[in-house]
Structures are given as C-alpha cells and as structure tokens.
C-alpha cells in the first residue's frame, strides 16, 4: 500500500464522496444478482472496471472517498475487491485490500466503520431489540415465508448481521417480485405486526430487504463523517426513491445527493464534479 495523502493536503480535501458500493463493476457471472450493493459502483455480482477504478483513483487524489452499504463488510469487499483481495487480507499489511482503496468504509449502514484502515465504534441490532423480541420476529418471518406461494424457494431467508437482519430469496425471485410486489407486501405486514419495535424496513438490492432500528439507515454513517467537518458530503446511490435503502442519506440535509443508475452515470457525475 502506498502512503495515503492526509485529507488536509489534498486539493479538495474538505469534500467527501460516499458511494453505494455497486456503481462500478463489470460482470463476472451472467445474469447474477447481488443482495445489496447494486447499481452505484457495481452492477450485481460484478467486479470493478479499469475505467471506474481510474476515476476513483483520480478523485481520491483530490478529495476524500468512501463507501456505505447495507451488507456486512465481507460481502461488500467481495464486490469492491479492486486489487483482487478479499477481506482476509485486511489483516496482512503486505496486501492491498479494499479497505486500503477507500478513506472510509461503512458496512451495515455504518455500524461497522473503518477510517484509513482503523476500525471505529460499532453498534449491535441484537442489543437494541433484545433476544425475546428478536425470536418473536424471526418466528413470524419464517412462518410468513413458508406460506408464500412463489415459484422457487431457495433463499437463505434470514441473515443476521451486526446492525440489522436481512430477509432474502434467490436470484430467480427478482423477476417474480417485480410483478407481484412480494417484498413490498411483506414489509407492510411486518410494519403492522411489529409497530412498537421502533424498526425501519428498507428494500434494497434485487432480492432482499433490510430491517434495522429507526435511524440506523445509511445516515448512521454520517455521524462518523460529521466529525471531520467536511465542507461538502456527496452521496451517490441508485435506490434513492422512497423505500429504497439509499433514500434517507440521499435526502438528508447534510448531503448533496446524486441519483445514478449505472457505473457510467457515476463516472459522468465524478468527472463533472471534479473536472477530470
């Protein structure tokens, strides 16, 4: 890893750009779909193109960059492994993992946070909700999924993460959900059943949705960013519509939002913003 230029020594070091991680990549599998970080840096299940990596490198030479995604860190770095390294190499200083290529790394909406390779404070979903409420909710979810009449059932169904739970199906589910709105209906049922839990439900990616405490959406990452006193905080995301998992941070008064639908959109926005 080459030495990192301090923020204060970068020409526009008072500007930070945060990315929903999926706006940068070319396919490694035809037709595959990612769970969470879709559209902003990388299309689903893809790896970064040479063009977007070069643009990010140019931006980082001028300003500060970071990613913020809902998935856990290993899943995000699987897609953002720009040097072909996975998260295990984070422990080896002779490698160049994804955490070396971004100034800020926010997984699980910022509940897992890294600044310049150093871990910041984290928080826990299970501590917030409590074991009994968690078990009640999981039981309801599994019963609901069992009763769903969908073409194929192959999913993990519930994935527990540090700061949330993720309810998901498999790739074949995506097309069916677009027509039948299974996720949207499921979310409405959960809102009614657990109205007193203080939870937010956010549809993200192509086959899943997240459940997390109110305020633990992607704006959670901003509490780490605010400490740096940046003049501008830019956010680039694709799920910026109401109910999408980029909506809250995109609309937040502290950020300048950029709605992008592809890596090409991200490149265009960055080249315009930084006159690259």
């Amino acid at each position: 890893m080459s030495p990192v230029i301090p923020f204060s020594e970068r020409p526009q070091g008072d500007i930070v750009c945060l990315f929903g991680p999926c706006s940068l990549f070319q396919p490694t599998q035809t037709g595959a779909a990612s769970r969470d970080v879709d559209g902003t840096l990388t299309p689903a299940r893809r790896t970064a193109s040479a063009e977007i990596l070069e643009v990010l490198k140019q931006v980082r030479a001028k300003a500060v960059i970071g990613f913020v995604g809902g998935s856990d860190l290993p899943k995000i770095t699987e897609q953002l492994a720009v040097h072909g390294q996975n998260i295990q190499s984070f422990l080896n200083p002779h490698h160049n993992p994804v955490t070396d290529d971004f100034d800020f790394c926010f997984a699980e909406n910022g509940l897992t946070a890294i600044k310049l390779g150093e871990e910041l404070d984290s928080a826990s979903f299970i501590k917030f909700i409590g074991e009994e409420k968690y078990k009640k909710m999981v039981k309801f979810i599994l019963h609901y999924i069992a009763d769903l009449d969908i073409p194929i059932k192959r999913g993990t169904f519930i994935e527990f993460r540090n700061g949330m739970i993720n309810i998901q199906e498999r790739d074949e589910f995506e097309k069916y959900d677009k027509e039948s709105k299974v996720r949207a209906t499921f979310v409405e049922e959960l809102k009614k059943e657990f109205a007193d839990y203080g939870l937010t439900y956010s549809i993200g990616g192509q086959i899943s949705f997240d459940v997390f405490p109110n305020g633990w959406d992607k704006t959670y990452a901003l509490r780490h960013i605010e400490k740096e006193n940046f003049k501008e905080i830019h956010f680039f995301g694709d799920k910026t519509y109401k109910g999408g998992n980029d909506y809250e941070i995109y609309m937040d008064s502290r950020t300048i939002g950029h709605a992008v639908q592809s890596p090409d959109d991200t490149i265009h926005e960055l080249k315009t913003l930084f006159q690259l």
Side-chain angles (χ1 to χ4, degrees):
M1 176 183 175
S2 56
V4 176
I5 302 172
F7 299 168
S8 61
E9 295 180 16
R10 302 182 198 184
Q12 294 171 275
D14 56 354
I15 295 175
V16 60
C17 293
L18 299 177
F19 303 92
C22 265
S23 39
L24 311 172
F25 301 3
Q26 293 178 337
T28 54
Q29 298 180 32
T30 302
S34 77
R35 295 187 181 89
D36 183 346
V37 285
D38 302 303
T40 310
L41 298 180
T42 71
R45 292 287 189 194
R46 304 182 182 189
T47 55
S49 70
E51 183 179 10
I52 194 80
L53 295 182
E54 179 58 30
V55 170
L56 278 184
K57 183 178 178 181
Q58 292 176 30
V59 172
R60 195 183 186 195
K62 289 188 171 188
V64 179
I65 66 171
F67 64 75
V68 51
S71 292
D72 60 24
L73 196 54
K75 283 192 176 67
I76 294 177
T77 55
E78 179 185 347
Q79 287 196 296
L80 294 180
V82 295
H83 293 297
Q85 305 295 333
N86 61 32
I87 191 59
Q88 298 303 321
S89 64
F90 177 51
L91 302 176
N92 188 335
H94 299 294
H95 288 286
N96 289 306
V98 168
T99 47
D100 287 346
D101 294 287
F102 293 84
D103 300 302
F104 290 97
C105 304
F106 298 121
E108 301 185 56
N109 294 346
L111 297 172
T112 297
I114 295 172
K115 175 190 174 184
L116 298 174
E118 298 293 329
E119 289 193 43
L120 305 177
D121 293 337
S122 63
S124 167
F125 176 87
I126 202 69
K127 288 181 180 178
F128 173 87
I129 195 172
E131 191 65 41
E132 290 305 312
K133 285 186 175 181
Y134 175 70
K135 287 192 293 186
K136 181 180 178 182
M137 188 173 204
V138 167
K139 184 177 180 180
F140 179 90
I141 290 169
L142 291 175
H143 275 291
Y144 188 95
I145 292 173
D147 292 337
L148 280 176
D149 183 15
I150 57 178
I152 298 174
K153 289 187 181 181
R154 299 287 189 275
T156 304
F157 302 136
I158 299 177
E159 179 180 290
F160 179 77
R161 300 173 182 170
N162 187 49
M164 67 181 73
I165 56 174
N166 176 263
I167 293 89
Q168 60 186 258
E169 244 296 341
R170 290 293 83 204
D171 300 340
E172 295 85 354
F173 174 73
E174 179 191 358
K175 182 178 179 181
Y176 181 78
D177 183 58
K178 285 182 178 178
E179 299 169 352
S180 302
K181 307 296 182 186
V182 174
R183 288 186 294 176
T185 303
F186 197 170
V187 163
E188 290 306 312
E189 289 297 318
L190 288 169
K191 285 180 178 179
K192 288 189 291 185
E193 185 70 20
F194 302 100
D196 61 335
Y197 273 31
L199 298 174
T200 294
Y201 304 84
S202 180
I203 295 174
Q206 296 163 316
I207 58 172
S208 70
F209 63 90
D210 297 326
V211 182
F212 47 83
N214 293 338
W216 288 22
D217 51 58
K218 288 182 179 177
T219 60
Y220 190 95
L222 296 179
R223 66 185 61 196
H224 299 293
I225 294 294
E226 282 187 309
K227 297 175 183 177
E228 305 293 330
N229 295 315
F230 289 109
K231 182 178 71 174
E232 294 178 7
I233 303 171
H234 292 261
F235 174 76
F236 300 77
D238 65 316
K239 298 291 189 298
T240 56
Y241 50 82
K242 191 169 184 178
N245 64 355
D246 292 327
Y247 176 77
E248 289 83 5
I249 190 169
Y250 174 77
M251 295 295 294
D252 195 281
S253 62
R254 294 167 290 182
T255 68
I256 300 170
H258 302 260
V260 296
Q261 297 303 318
S262 69
D264 287 342
D265 286 350
T266 307
I267 290 170
H268 175 75
E269 292 283 331
L270 290 173
K271 285 185 174 181
T272 301
L273 182 61
F274 292 102
Q275 299 181 331
L276 301 177

